[in-house]
Amino acid sequence: MKKKVYHKNSKKPVSKTPKPNIKKGRSKERFLLLDKIILLLYLGVGFLPHMNAFDVAITQWYYISIVNVITLAYIYYYKNFIEVDFHHKVAKFTFLGALLFLFFSCLSIVKSISVSESIVFLCILLTTLIAFFNLYVILKDKLTDLFPFIAYSLMIFLVIESLDVIHHFVVLNANEPRCDEIFAGLNPTYGNRNILSASLIIKMTFSFYLFFQAKETYQFVLSLLVVFLASLSILLIGSRTAIYSLPIIFSVLIFGNFYLNRELGVITLIKKNGVPIIIVTVIAFFSSLSVNKVHKGKFNTFNDLVFSIPKEKLYIDKNLADRGVKTISLASDSGRKAFWFAAIDGFKSSPILGVGIGNWKIIEKEELVRGRKGPNHFYPRRAHNDFLQVLSEVGIFGFILFVGMFGLVYFILITNVFTKVNKELKLVSLIILTAFIPYSLDSLINFPSERTPVQILGFLIIVIALSSLKRTESISINQYLKFGLIGLGAILVYLNYQMFTSAKYQMIVRNNIRGKNILSEKYKVGYNQMNALYPSFPKLNFMGQPIDYAKAVLAYSEGKYSETMHHLDLAIKESPYSLEHYAFKSMIFRSNKVLKNQDSCIYYAKKAFYKRPGLINQYRVLKKHYIAEKDTASLFDLISQHQNFLPKNEDVWIDKINFYLKYLKDLKKASELIDSAKIKLPESKRIQGLRIVKNNKSSEVVSNSDSLKLKRIELQKILNGASKLFSQKKYKEAQKEFLKGLEIAPSNEEIRLSSALTDIKLKRYNDAIEKLNKVISSGKITNGKPEYNRGLCYLRLKKNKLAGIDFRASYDKGFAMAKQLDKRILNY
């Protein structure tokens, strides 16, 4: 008989029979393999392509929502292997804090202008939180088993992406100088270079796990090679946030490792770890300066790395400041301060509830919109600071929770480094702490919360931090919540699919209408087709423009004017502070024959222009209106605002100079403005050729390059002189001037008619008839005057029958002198 085995705290014997569904050996291996597959599915999101969507992030969030459901099903199917609980109170309260943040986000919708856009961002938030939960459940009890796999997987991904970057610069564009154009086509699955570099530098910190753990020479060399490739690619990309993060993370890692291995001695550690990293970094730095050289035979400067300009501006004179080309400081905020102040203004407008999650892009940001110069419409979509965006959109309570999460992670990781007994866990905490630094910096000046590859890495770091806490208890999760998560995950898959589907049609429409004249162009995609295919959700495209605006453009191109106005009204309701809708309405009311309405045209032009004075079409509309109304005060204000907004616009300089010449008769001020324009626009041939010329009794500014304008002025001078000579009865001299005018403008029938009238005065009737024949056949002068004068010539030549035909034709056209003719002459 077998001896019974008792548990130390129990009087009952312990059964040796294994629990159902739990097997030894291979089942555990299979469980870890599935864990790793799930982790790879999450970590590999950066390799997902656009799949014809408007923005790759939309495709990637759709993908993550699918992975979430797969993972939830996996967790509940293998529930005996995975403890679906909270292993520590801190973890429990972290998730409760996340739910509370979700609550405040939902509450903020009360203030939302666009509920649709709030739902979009709630989908992103919920998708992130479910991924957070899934990663936590998988990692919390197996961090030491799975962390090496995570580190090595990220190293492999890092190498692939770094080599892709290096290939782009060193091979594909080897002969191109470093300029804006060289970044076209750089790893499109990340959307832009800031996102790519943030992802690379976070991954790079994980490569130090192998570097510090290396026991063989090849492992040490391999880890250094990975660091070199990553550093070089980050430098080549030129994102300042990532570049400035490099020395910070290297310092934290090296000095942190000194602390963890202080028993080995500082000199030994410097030789083993510090010197190799410094050497690798220096080689990567000088390698980056030797690629895509701006000036042959010279290394690029650090400034060339972090600030690129269009290729056409690369080789302007060295004295850029004197030539009007803006130089940028390495400490420049690239205009972000204006975004940050706008976010704070949004918070001030609704400090408790916020302006509504996802709605900062839609609220009024008058100073920001006016502050960003340019002739085009401007959509400030993000605050370029996740902390301030949360503060503005979700309010003060959501902001406190958001900041608290960052504080908690730093507290856990720093505490681990200085207090944990397990040296392996100390190293993991040091690496994760270092990875969290660039993520935090990116959150301060960019928007990783919207960018899937960086956001997943960020929450992976938070999960690892929570998992590093030693299990102290098992706090169970209600089973209904488990099933609720699966149901919610399925709903999110559907909503993300709607966004993905919409994004594909957004891309089709954008590619068809971009860069075209929306008032006259016809498009390959039809209004009815797009109107039927677009899902009802979301209401805005990824740029923050209402989808109804695109529908209005397509409807207008097909002459469906009532549908056009309906969609524009919906667009204004969805995004009332965007200006494109008002500008479009203004142009429709100006140029459309069916909808033409001067009052409406001016009303909408004012709504658009005075919010953003760089809009050229609205400027022209209002300028013409104020000139017609003789409203010189409004005209001067219009010109001044436009010039202040677009100080390099040649036309507005000329308009302002002409204003002083025409209305104020101030020749001195006009001359001063010409000198100012020449200093401001040194490269403009048109501005450099400006001069003031006399035109009738007034003066006008023209440029030597404005050949048509010069021709018009010269022609006007000739005609004025000819008219004066004609009135003085100096017909021969007048005729010479009229003929000069015809040489300049051979198709000007008014001049030809004047020349013919002069021939009549000189009794050159046949010459006059020849000219009048051309005038009449052109059909440009229809008041009966040419026919009357040709009839007069025929009468002088005693061709009465022909004269009668012309006089009657002139009479029928209502010419006054023909009306006064004797009926006998009309009856010839």
Side-chain angles (χ1 to χ4, degrees):
M1 185 176 175
K2 293 183 180 180
K3 186 177 178 181
K4 292 182 180 181
V5 180
Y6 293 87
H7 190 275
K8 63 180 180 178
N9 296 323
S10 174
K11 293 182 179 180
K12 294 181 180 180
V14 177
S15 173
K16 291 188 177 181
T17 307
K19 294 180 181 179
N21 300 322
I22 297 181
K23 298 178 182 179
K24 296 180 180 179
R26 294 187 59 183
S27 61
K28 184 176 181 182
E29 292 174 10
R30 182 189 178 191
F31 167 59
L32 285 174
L33 176 63
L34 291 175
D35 281 348
K36 292 173 182 178
I37 291 171
I38 293 295
L39 289 170
L40 284 177
L41 289 176
Y42 278 114
L43 298 178
V45 65
F47 293 97
L48 201 69
H50 278 72
M51 295 174 65
N52 299 319
F54 192 92
D55 190 283
V56 67
I58 302 171
T59 309
Q60 290 168 342
W61 284 119
Y62 176 42
Y63 164 81
I64 290 295
S65 68
I66 295 172
V67 174
N68 280 344
V69 173
I70 293 171
T71 307
L72 286 169
Y74 159 67
I75 288 171
Y76 297 129
Y77 181 76
Y78 289 100
K79 59 185 178 181
N80 289 324
F81 289 119
I82 305 172
E83 292 291 334
V84 186
D85 64 352
F86 295 117
H87 77 299
H88 197 284
K89 282 184 179 180
V90 171
K92 175 185 175 182
F93 286 115
T94 300
F95 278 93
L96 287 176
L99 291 176
L100 194 56
F101 180 83
L102 177 63
F103 169 76
F104 286 119
S105 298
C106 293
L107 195 61
S108 73
I109 298 179
V110 172
K111 292 286 187 176
S112 295
I113 296 171
S114 172
V115 174
S116 168
E117 199 63 9
S118 289
I119 295 172
V120 167
F121 278 79
L122 281 175
C123 285
I124 292 174
L125 176 59
L126 284 166
T127 301
T128 302
L129 293 180
I130 291 177
F132 179 35
F133 175 80
N134 288 343
L135 290 171
Y136 170 74
V137 169
I138 289 172
L139 282 174
K140 62 182 170 60
D141 291 320
K142 292 185 172 54
L143 179 60
T144 52
D145 293 331
L146 292 173
F147 185 81
F149 173 77
I150 292 171
Y152 298 144
S153 298
L154 289 177
M155 279 181 63
I156 294 170
F157 293 164
L158 177 65
V159 169
I160 294 169
E161 290 169 343
S162 297
L163 288 174
D164 182 59
V165 171
I166 294 167
H167 180 260
H168 178 84
F169 285 97
V170 178
V171 179
L172 296 181
N173 295 283
N175 298 319
E176 289 295 318
R178 190 170 177 85
C179 57
D180 285 348
E181 290 81 354
I182 204 171
F183 293 96
L186 173 63
N187 202 324
T189 62
Y190 275 85
N192 69 45
R193 56 177 173 165
N194 289 330
I195 304 161
L196 173 58
S197 60
S199 176
L200 290 178
I201 196 166
I202 292 171
K203 289 172 184 168
M204 186 179 71
T205 58
F206 286 84
S207 64
F208 279 83
Y209 181 74
L210 177 61
F211 178 72
F212 290 135
Q213 293 279 77
K215 294 178 181 177
E216 304 291 340
T217 303
Y218 80 90
Q219 294 175 328
F220 184 75
V221 173
L222 178 63
S223 62
L224 277 177
L225 178 61
V226 174
V227 172
F228 168 75
L229 292 175
S231 300
L232 178 58
S233 63
I234 288 166
L235 289 164
L236 288 174
I237 293 168
S239 173
R240 281 186 297 161
T241 309
I243 290 176
Y244 295 166
S245 296
L246 280 174
I248 297 173
I249 66 170
F250 286 154
S251 299
V252 172
L253 283 165
I254 291 171
F255 287 109
N257 188 57
F258 285 178
Y259 172 76
L260 296 182
N261 297 282
R262 53 192 180 278
E263 69 277 2
L264 298 178
V266 175
I267 302 300
T268 302
L269 291 170
I270 289 174
K271 289 179 180 179
K272 183 181 178 182
N273 300 137
V275 172
I277 291 298
I278 292 171
I279 292 172
V280 163
T281 306
V282 170
I283 294 172
F285 179 70
F286 283 103
S287 298
S288 67
L289 298 181
S290 66
V291 177
N292 308 118
K293 293 178 182 177
V294 174
H295 301 285
K296 291 183 179 179
K298 290 184 179 180
F299 278 100
N300 286 337
T301 65
F302 183 62
N303 202 75
D304 293 325
L305 275 185
V306 296
F307 297 115
S308 60
I309 58 176
K311 191 174 182 180
E312 61 187 24
K313 293 184 179 180
L314 276 180
Y315 305 109
I316 297 173
D317 291 354
K318 293 180 181 179
N319 202 353
L320 295 176
D322 291 342
R323 295 185 58 79
V325 178
K326 185 179 180 182
T327 56
I328 308 175
S329 163
L330 289 174
S332 166
D333 61 18
S334 300
R336 281 178 171 82
K337 278 185 183 177
F339 286 79
W340 299 341
F341 284 124
I344 292 170
D345 288 340
F347 163 68
K348 288 178 181 177
S349 68
S350 180
I352 304 300
L353 296 178
V355 299
I357 185 171
N359 271 240
W360 184 81
K361 66 175 69 170
I362 311 168
I363 65 170
E364 187 172 23
K365 300 177 284 290
E366 188 170 349
E367 288 186 19
L368 179 59
V369 170
R370 286 181 70 93
R372 183 59 65 96
K373 308 298 184 184
N376 301 318
H377 293 279
F378 173 48
Y379 287 93
R381 293 178 286 158
R382 306 176 183 94
H384 289 271
N385 183 314
D386 275 350
F387 296 94
L388 291 178
Q389 185 132 354
V390 167
L391 179 67
S392 181
E393 291 186 344
V394 187
I396 188 65
F397 297 117
F399 173 75
I400 291 170
L401 289 167
F402 189 71
V403 172
M405 179 188 70
F406 279 80
L408 176 65
V409 173
Y410 277 114
F411 176 79
I412 292 172
L413 295 174
I414 292 172
T415 302
N416 284 351
V417 170
F418 288 101
T419 62
K420 286 284 179 183
V421 177
N422 187 325
K423 195 170 182 180
E424 170 80 5
L425 199 53
K426 281 177 176 283
L427 178 60
V428 170
S429 297
L430 174 64
I431 288 168
I432 296 305
L433 171 65
T434 313
F436 201 54
I437 291 172
Y439 177 80
S440 304
L441 291 174
D442 200 48
S443 297
L444 279 169
I445 59 176
N446 287 310
F447 39 91
S449 62
E450 286 186 42
R451 294 304 183 177
T452 326
V454 182
Q455 184 73 333
I456 291 299
L457 285 174
F459 273 82
L460 174 68
I461 292 167
I462 297 169
V463 165
I464 293 173
L466 292 176
S467 300
S468 68
L469 297 169
K470 185 178 180 181
R471 176 178 279 277
T472 57
E473 52 194 307
S474 177
I475 304 168
S476 62
I477 297 173
N478 190 290
Q479 62 175 343
Y480 295 110
L481 178 62
K482 300 174 186 178
F483 295 116
L485 278 175
I486 294 177
L488 179 60
I491 293 170
L492 288 172
V493 169
Y494 171 75
L495 291 174
N496 278 287
Y497 173 72
Q498 290 284 95
M499 290 189 281
F500 171 68
T501 304
S502 177
K504 290 199 295 183
Y505 297 125
Q506 290 170 30
M507 178 67 90
I508 293 169
V509 173
R510 200 248 332 234
N511 289 342
N512 272 271
I513 70 177
R514 185 171 55 179
K516 295 183 179 178
N517 187 331
I518 59 176
L519 292 173
S520 59
E521 294 282 356
K522 302 295 180 185
Y523 305 109
K524 293 180 181 178
V525 295
Y527 163 73
N528 289 333
Q529 178 191 16
M530 283 298 105
N531 198 35
L533 290 175
Y534 262 123
S536 57
F537 167 82
K539 299 290 185 183
L540 304 183
N541 69 17
F542 201 76
M543 294 293 291
Q545 297 170 309
I547 290 169
D548 276 295
Y549 175 81
K551 290 180 179 180
V553 172
L554 295 176
Y556 187 81
S557 71
E558 297 177 10
K560 297 175 179 178
Y561 302 134
S562 60
E563 289 89 341
T564 299
M565 288 303 172
H566 171 68
H567 286 301
L568 284 177
D569 288 339
L570 290 175
I572 290 170
K573 183 179 179 182
E574 194 69 23
S575 184
Y577 300 109
S578 296
L579 304 177
E580 204 161 9
H581 333 312
Y582 303 116
F584 190 18
K585 275 197 170 187
S586 169
M587 302 311 293
I588 290 172
F589 285 125
R590 184 195 70 165
S591 58
N592 187 276
K593 293 180 180 179
V594 177
L595 301 174
K596 195 166 188 176
N597 185 309
Q598 179 69 3
D599 291 339
S600 295
C601 170
I602 299 304
Y603 171 77
Y604 286 111
K606 286 180 178 179
K607 282 187 75 71
F609 177 83
Y610 288 108
K611 295 287 186 182
R612 187 161 175 79
L615 300 176
I616 292 173
N617 285 332
Q618 281 59 58
Y619 168 72
R620 290 170 179 166
V621 166
L622 293 173
K623 184 179 76 169
K624 186 177 179 181
H625 170 69
Y626 291 140
I627 291 173
E629 294 291 316
K630 297 182 180 179
D631 186 351
T632 54
S634 296
L635 177 62
F636 184 75
D637 178 63
L638 178 84
I639 293 170
S640 297
Q641 288 202 42
H642 194 55
Q643 186 196 33
N644 290 336
F645 205 84
L646 297 179
K648 295 190 177 182
N649 186 326
E650 297 171 348
D651 290 329
V652 75
W653 276 101
I654 293 171
D655 286 345
K656 193 166 189 177
I657 295 165
N658 278 327
F659 181 89
Y660 277 95
L661 290 172
K662 182 176 181 180
Y663 296 104
L664 302 181
K665 312 296 182 185
D666 191 340
L667 187 62
K668 182 182 177 182
K669 180 63 177 177
S671 299
E672 290 174 355
L673 281 172
I674 290 175
D675 293 338
S676 299
K678 289 180 179 180
I679 293 170
K680 192 73 177 179
L681 301 171
E683 296 173 1
S684 169
K685 292 181 180 179
R686 185 182 178 197
I687 292 296
Q688 295 304 314
L690 284 181
R691 58 190 172 91
I692 296 173
V693 298
K694 293 270 186 173
N695 186 16
N696 290 338
K697 295 180 181 179
S698 62
S699 299
E700 186 177 1
V701 65
V702 294
S703 175
N704 294 331
S705 63
D706 290 341
S707 56
L708 291 175
K709 200 171 187 180
L710 285 169
K711 188 182 288 187
R712 176 180 61 77
I713 292 171
E714 184 183 358
L715 181 61
Q716 191 62 49
K717 279 185 178 180
I718 290 171
L719 296 180
N720 290 340
S723 298
K724 187 176 181 180
L725 290 168
F726 188 91
S727 64
Q728 294 172 351
K729 298 185 179 181
K730 296 178 180 179
Y731 299 122
K732 287 185 179 180
E733 292 85 345
Q735 184 66 286
K736 288 179 182 179
E737 295 302 309
F738 282 129
L739 292 176
K740 283 182 184 178
L742 276 175
E743 287 180 6
I744 295 172
S747 60
N748 192 315
E749 301 305 328
E750 290 285 354
I751 301 175
R752 200 183 311 280
L753 176 59
S754 298
S755 179
L757 296 179
T758 308
D759 280 332
I760 293 172
K761 293 293 184 181
L762 293 169
K763 298 183 180 180
R764 299 172 182 171
Y765 302 121
N766 285 320
D767 289 342
I769 289 170
E770 184 180 344
K771 290 171 184 172
L772 289 167
N773 286 340
K774 290 182 180 179
V775 173
I776 293 167
S777 63
S778 73
K780 292 180 179 179
I781 301 175
T782 58
N783 59 2
K785 187 174 181 178
E787 289 83 356
Y788 175 85
N789 282 284
R790 190 173 67 175
L792 202 61
C793 291
Y794 284 135
L795 192 64
R796 298 285 188 271
L797 294 171
K798 297 183 179 181
K799 296 180 179 180
N800 293 350
K801 190 173 181 180
L802 292 174
I805 293 171
D806 276 341
F807 286 141
R808 286 192 294 275
S810 180
Y811 181 91
D812 291 340
K813 290 183 177 182
F815 188 61
M817 295 182 74
K819 293 280 187 181
Q820 296 173 8
L821 288 172
D822 190 288
K823 287 185 179 180
R824 288 175 293 177
I825 296 175
L826 290 172
N827 290 328
Y828 279 150

